[in-house]
């Protein structure tokens, strides 16, 4: 073992860990693997005897650590939270100064900041890396968002660039990243150093929040075609397949087309018609929304996507309410094809707003945590490998390349002109959702965000009046410089009298 030390090691051989280890080994890197339950490791190594780099199975953490080249690079891929801390605690006494621990789980960025600080105090280095793309991505090319000490990342970079999904340098199109059995070479890796300490995991969290928004928007488009136009799932699936050839071209639209055209193997009915309408969540969308509230950044579209899942979860209550609460019973008598096109435009405009919110969030976070994020590069590494991969992201990369300090994506000439052309349809769809009684919270909130962001004057003047009235919170004046505060001694007689 001493002669042939491994380039890197990985702890945690659930599916993500196994797939990432195979991806690393496929690219010629010798990788040591360890799992708490030894049988899982033994089975994994036995099933994969001939990888180009080679898998080195280790039964103890001591053997695992001893098998690695220095500075040691140890990837941890266990369930985010307490398990990560438990693994780090077991590992730290065995490591030596300068060794590098890499957390590839979906850690909360504040945990990553804490872990990096704690390990630094012990002379160790910590990289928190977002790994997106699910099991397929881990196996054949994920989108990677590493954060931490840049000098430590330099040791990991060759491995991370090798295993990441690749996109075409010019068009940004994925180079077949997720195709089974085909490791992709050449092209631009969907991997870039994000920033210090928790930056990588923060950006991964926003990625997941955006993913929540994308998924809910697609569901609303489906619901409108079903509810307003009475289309069947396979018919709607064909619409999505067509949309996937245009500006909405993306992984989520593509799989939606397939899912809607899938038949249930048991009944032969459309698959989606037999699936219970309650959605679960693991928490990254909630973290994104809570963080938006904490930082005071408007990100209503992601939050609506999270709330939509919450509302879907109370199925029994909804079924009971459906028998009591009424809504409109309107029949569609317009042009069906025109309405489908309008839904397409509403989806695209809402998507622009949702991403604009996500990038605003990252802009604020970099101030809060003293990071310097490269938004163009972030959009670029999301073009392949990950769940939100989409042709549209190339436009975001181009927007930030043209204006690195762009205040809001909505102000980019391409996105501005796209919304200008499509917004009449977007408004038509949101109005129709209201008229037909179909919930479309992400479409609606995105439109309100757009209208709010472009409003030179919002009704917060009245709000300040209210705050000054009941709490003497003061107000600023339109005819005085910002930062000068005024207060009115509100006449007693206009105050509501407290009744005792
Ligand atoms: P296991 O196979 O022994 O359960 C996903 O749960 C992965 O994380 C699995 O590989 C699992 O190991 C590992 N894991 C979960 N909790 C752990 C812990 N506290 N210590 C070490 N590994 C853990």
């Amino acid at each position: 073992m001493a002669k042939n030390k491994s380039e890197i090691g990985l702890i945690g051989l659930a599916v993500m860990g196994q797939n990432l280890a195979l991806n690393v080994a496929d690219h010629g890197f010798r990788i040591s693997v360890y799992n708490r339950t030894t049988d899982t490791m033994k089975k994994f190594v036995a099933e994969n005897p001939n990888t180009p780099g080679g898998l080195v199975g280790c039964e103890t953490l001591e053997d695992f650590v001893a098998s690695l080249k220095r500075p040691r690079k140890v990837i941890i891929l266990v369930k985010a939270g307490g398990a990560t801390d438990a693994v780090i605690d077991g590992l730290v006494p065995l490591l030596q100064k300068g060794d590098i621990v890499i957390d590839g789980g979906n850690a909360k960025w504040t945990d990553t900041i804490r872990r990096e600080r704690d390990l630094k105090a012990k002379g160790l280095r910590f990289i928190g890396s977002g790994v997106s793309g699910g099991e397929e991505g881990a196996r054949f090319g994920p989108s990677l968002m590493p954060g931490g000490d840049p000098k430590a990342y330099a040791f990991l970079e060759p491995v991370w660039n090798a295993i990441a999904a690749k996109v075409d340098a010019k068009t940004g199109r994925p180079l077949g990243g997720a195709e089974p059995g085909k490791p992709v070479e050449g092209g631009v890796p969907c991997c870039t150093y994000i920033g210090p300490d928790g930056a990588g995991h923060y950006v991964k969290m926003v990625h997941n929040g955006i993913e929540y928004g994308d998924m809910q928007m697609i569901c609303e488009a489906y619901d409108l075609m079903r509810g307003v136009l009475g289309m069947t799932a396979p018919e709607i699936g064909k619409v999505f397949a067509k949309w996937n050839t245009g500006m909405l071209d993306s992984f989520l639209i593509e799989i939606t087309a397939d899912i809607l055209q899938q038949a249930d193997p048991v009944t032969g009915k459309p698959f989606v018609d037999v699936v219970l309408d309650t959605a679960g969540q693991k928490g990254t969308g909630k973290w994104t929304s809570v963080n938006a509230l904490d930082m005071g950044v408007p990100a209503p579209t992601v939050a609506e996507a999270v709330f939509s899942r919450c509302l879907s979860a109370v199925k029994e209550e909804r079924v009971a309410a459906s028998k009591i609460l009424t809504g409109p019973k309107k029949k569609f008598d317009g042009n069906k094809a025109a309405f489908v096109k309008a839904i397409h435009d509403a989806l695209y405009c809402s998507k622009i707003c949702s991403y604009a919110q996500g990038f605003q969030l990252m802009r604020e976070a970099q101030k809060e945590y003293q990071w310097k994020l490269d938004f163009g590069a972030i959009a670029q590494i999301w073009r392949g490998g990950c769940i939100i991969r989409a042709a549209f992201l190339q436009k975001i990369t181009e927007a930030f390349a043209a204006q690195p300090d762009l205040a809001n994506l909505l102000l980019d000439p391409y996105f501005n002109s796209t919304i200008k052309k499509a917004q009449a349809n977007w408004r038509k769809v949101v109005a129709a959702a209201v008229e037909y009684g179909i919930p479309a919270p992400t479409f609606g909130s995105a439109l309100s965000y757009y209208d709010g962001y472009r409003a030179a004057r919002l009704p917060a003047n009245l709000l300040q009046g209210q705050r000054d009235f009941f709490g003497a919170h003061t107000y600023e004046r339109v005819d005085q410089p910002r930062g000068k505060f005024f207060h009115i001694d509100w006449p007693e007689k206009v105050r509501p009298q407290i009744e005792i």
Side-chain angles (χ1 to χ4, degrees):
M1 189 175 279
K3 259 195 269 155
N4 254 333
K5 295 224 172 188
S6 299
E7 187 64 36
I8 196 162
L10 184 143
I11 299 177
L13 292 171
V15 183
M16 283 293 284
Q18 292 195 8
N19 283 359
L20 204 78
L22 289 174
N23 189 354
V24 170
D26 270 355
H27 286 88
F29 300 103
R30 189 175 174 83
I31 181 166
S32 295
V33 290
Y34 170 84
N35 194 61
R36 180 178 59 180
T37 309
T38 306
D39 283 351
T40 310
M41 178 279 290
K42 282 188 174 159
K43 187 162 174 278
F44 172 60
V45 173
E47 280 170 356
N48 297 282
N50 295 317
T51 60
L55 301 173
V56 180
C58 303
E59 295 194 18
T60 67
L61 264 184
E62 286 77 5
D63 284 351
F64 171 80
V65 168
S67 73
L68 302 174
K69 263 189 210 160
R70 293 205 56 203
R72 299 183 182 92
K73 298 185 284 291
V74 179
I75 306 167
I76 301 176
L77 258 180
V78 298
K79 195 167 178 290
T84 310
D85 285 319
V87 172
I88 292 174
D89 288 347
L91 198 56
V92 162
L94 306 173
L95 295 178
Q96 285 167 289
K97 201 168 179 307
D99 285 349
I100 303 158
V101 177
I102 303 128
D103 178 13
N106 251 335
K108 197 167 184 179
W109 81 101
T110 45
D111 285 343
T112 303
I113 291 174
R114 167 179 60 80
R115 288 172 184 141
E116 205 253 355
R117 197 185 45 226
D118 291 353
L119 263 66
K120 199 188 240 170
K122 294 178 174 125
L124 299 173
R125 302 184 282 185
F126 190 71
I127 301 284
S129 181
V131 176
S132 174
E135 295 169 8
E136 278 287 294
R139 180 68 188 87
F140 300 109
S143 172
L144 295 169
M145 293 153 248
D149 174 358
K151 287 202 196 104
Y153 178 63
F155 288 99
L156 178 66
E157 195 171 12
V159 181
W160 247 217
N161 276 343
I163 67 167
K166 307 292 185 303
V167 293
D168 184 271
K170 271 218 187 88
T171 64
R173 297 207 165 263
L175 293 174
E179 272 177 52
K182 281 192 196 163
V184 182
E185 299 305 337
V188 183
C190 294
C191 174
T192 191
Y193 173 73
I194 302 287
D197 52 64
H201 275 141
Y202 184 86
V203 168
K204 171 62 172 33
M205 175 193 74
V206 174
H207 161 285
N208 284 26
I210 285 175
E211 180 184 316
Y212 270 61
D214 273 353
M215 292 169 76
Q216 175 62 23
M217 281 179 235
I218 290 172
C219 289
E220 289 173 22
Y222 152 71
D223 209 19
L224 284 158
M225 281 186 255
R226 192 178 58 148
V228 177
L229 303 177
M231 291 167 69
T232 65
E235 283 169 353
I236 302 169
K238 287 196 183 80
V239 171
F240 277 102
K242 190 166 156 239
W243 288 357
N244 196 43
T245 60
M247 63 214 292
L248 280 170
D249 170 4
S250 62
F251 172 70
L252 281 169
I253 295 282
E254 182 188 337
I255 65 163
T256 298
D258 291 348
I259 295 163
L260 288 168
Q261 293 178 87
Q262 172 73 41
D264 170 39
V266 180
T267 60
K269 290 181 187 167
F271 167 72
V272 286
D273 292 349
V274 301
V275 178
L276 192 70
D277 53 327
T278 61
Q281 51 180 312
K282 282 193 180 159
T284 38
K286 187 181 91 177
W287 293 348
T288 311
S289 307
V290 169
N291 176 244
L293 286 170
D294 280 344
M295 293 200 303
V297 177
T301 308
V302 174
E304 286 292 2
V306 178
F307 288 137
S308 297
R309 292 196 191 189
C310 301
L311 194 55
S312 83
V314 293
K315 171 79 175 174
E316 284 76 19
E317 255 182 85
R318 288 189 288 111
V319 170
S322 72
K323 296 179 182 127
I324 303 165
L325 306 179
T326 60
K329 287 198 171 57
K330 208 171 138 75
K331 278 233 166 321
F332 184 79
D333 57 5
N335 180 323
K336 198 169 151 181
F339 192 68
V340 169
K341 166 75 170 82
I343 296 172
H344 169 278
D345 290 357
L347 180 52
Y348 197 66
C349 291
S350 301
K351 189 173 161 89
I352 294 170
C353 287
S354 177
Y355 280 66
Q357 293 164 27
F359 279 87
Q360 295 295 86
L361 207 51
M362 291 191 280
R363 207 166 67 130
E364 197 56 35
Q366 73 168 354
K367 277 191 237 156
E368 178 126 356
Y369 295 104
Q370 286 91 48
W371 300 327
K372 207 170 166 348
L373 303 178
D374 180 341
F375 301 118
I378 290 169
Q380 191 166 322
I381 61 165
W382 289 349
R383 292 178 308 181
C386 64
I387 306 294
I388 63 171
R389 60 184 181 262
F392 160 86
L393 285 158
Q394 180 69 10
K395 298 290 181 193
I396 300 183
T397 301
E398 285 165 15
F400 284 112
Q403 284 185 79
D405 58 350
L406 186 65
N408 188 308
L409 267 186
L410 294 172
L411 301 173
D412 168 72
Y414 166 78
F415 291 118
N416 181 15
S417 73
T418 303
I419 292 188
K420 208 171 184 174
K421 278 184 248 154
Q423 70 171 291
N425 270 343
W426 188 14
R427 292 180 192 283
K428 228 181 264 171
V429 169
V430 172
V434 173
E435 275 178 8
Y436 285 81
I438 291 169
T442 55
F443 281 11
S445 76
L447 181 53
S448 286
Y449 175 79
Y450 176 74
D451 283 336
Y453 191 73
R454 69 180 187 87
R457 194 161 168 79
L458 286 168
N461 50 341
L462 173 58
L463 206 117
Q464 276 310 98
Q466 292 164 338
R467 297 182 72 232
D468 192 54
F469 189 113
F470 65 67
H473 290 298
T474 72
Y475 60 93
E476 290 169 288
R477 297 182 58 90
V478 292
D479 53 7
Q480 294 288 328
R482 289 294 305 266
K484 270 182 93 174
F485 294 92
F486 300 86
H487 168 62
I488 283 192
D489 274 329
W490 293 91
E492 205 58 41
K493 64 178 162 46
V494 303
R495 296 193 181 192
Q497 296 302 305
I498 298 166
E499 287 177 20
I500 300 168

